[in-house]
Amino acid sequence: MTDDSALRLYIFDADDTLRRTTVPGKPCPHRLGEWELLPRVHERLSAMDWTTLRLGIASNQDQVAYGHMTRETCHALFEDLIRAAVGRDVPEAFIRFCPHALEVECECRKPAPGMLMDIMRHFGARADETVFVGNAPSDEEAARAAGVRFAWAWDFFGW
Ligand SMILES: [Zn+2]
């Protein structure tokens, strides 16, 4: 494992990294009560010092484009997720999601690095201060394209 002391921005994928959907057949939750935290997420994130570290979410949410939920609901679900994971609100957290349909070409959907770059720019964080935690090859590819460190969710949370 490499040295973590230089890291100050932790960006997380959401679905199957921090949370899982509890409704069979749904790839991601569409409303309150349709998800739960994955194991050890709360233990790990509640033990980190978010007064000095910075927290971002970068998630593909094409379900918004297909009308399964509004952007507002999608954002609120991420706020709930952060609150559950950390154990309190983190108002400074920066949430980015790609709301576009799969057939639409955009610069945000992972594996494109757009969302990671936005979050780094928002916090003024350099690539060597940033890690992206995810569970999919598209997450790893996005991290590589953004030039940041990547950690698999199962390594980061010790599953
Ligand atoms: Zn997009």
Side-chain angles (χ1 to χ4, degrees):
M1 202 61 188
T2 40
D3 178 24
D4 282 356
S5 60
L7 292 176
R8 64 181 209 93
L9 172 57
Y10 288 77
I11 306 174
F12 296 91
D13 167 55
D15 293 303
D16 299 316
T17 293
L18 298 180
R19 70 182 180 188
R20 68 181 156 214
T21 309
T22 50
V23 181
K26 278 194 191 177
C28 68
H30 297 157
R31 54 187 65 80
L32 241 62
E34 293 190 342
W35 62 276
E36 62 187 8
L37 285 180
L38 282 163
R40 301 177 60 88
V41 167
H42 177 71
E43 289 83 339
R44 183 81 157 90
L45 266 62
S46 64
M48 295 171 70
D49 181 5
W50 298 108
T51 62
T52 55
L53 300 173
R54 294 293 168 253
L55 173 58
I57 299 280
S59 173
N60 289 351
Q61 293 289 324
D62 52 82
Q63 303 283 309
V64 172
Y66 300 119
H68 296 300
M69 61 183 154
T70 63
R71 286 178 189 239
E72 289 72 25
T73 297
C74 186
H75 196 273
L77 281 164
F78 286 134
E79 288 181 326
D80 286 349
L81 172 63
I82 291 169
R83 188 179 305 122
V86 175
R88 64 170 177 84
D89 285 315
V90 183
E92 314 79 22
F94 193 58
I95 296 165
R96 285 286 280 111
F97 59 89
C98 167
H100 304 116
L102 294 173
E103 58 272 21
V104 173
E105 273 192 45
C106 67
E107 293 182 354
C108 38
R109 185 186 311 108
K110 297 172 290 186
M115 294 192 286
L116 302 182
M117 307 296 283
D118 276 357
I119 295 168
M120 289 161 63
R121 201 174 307 124
H122 175 80
F123 288 119
R126 297 190 315 263
D128 63 356
E129 298 173 320
T130 303
V131 62
F132 181 44
V133 183
N135 73 304
S138 57
D139 293 324
E140 185 185 35
E141 204 177 323
R144 193 180 317 125
V148 304
R149 197 186 298 184
F150 179 73
W152 292 105
W154 43 89
D155 290 331
F156 190 83
F157 294 113
W159 296 337

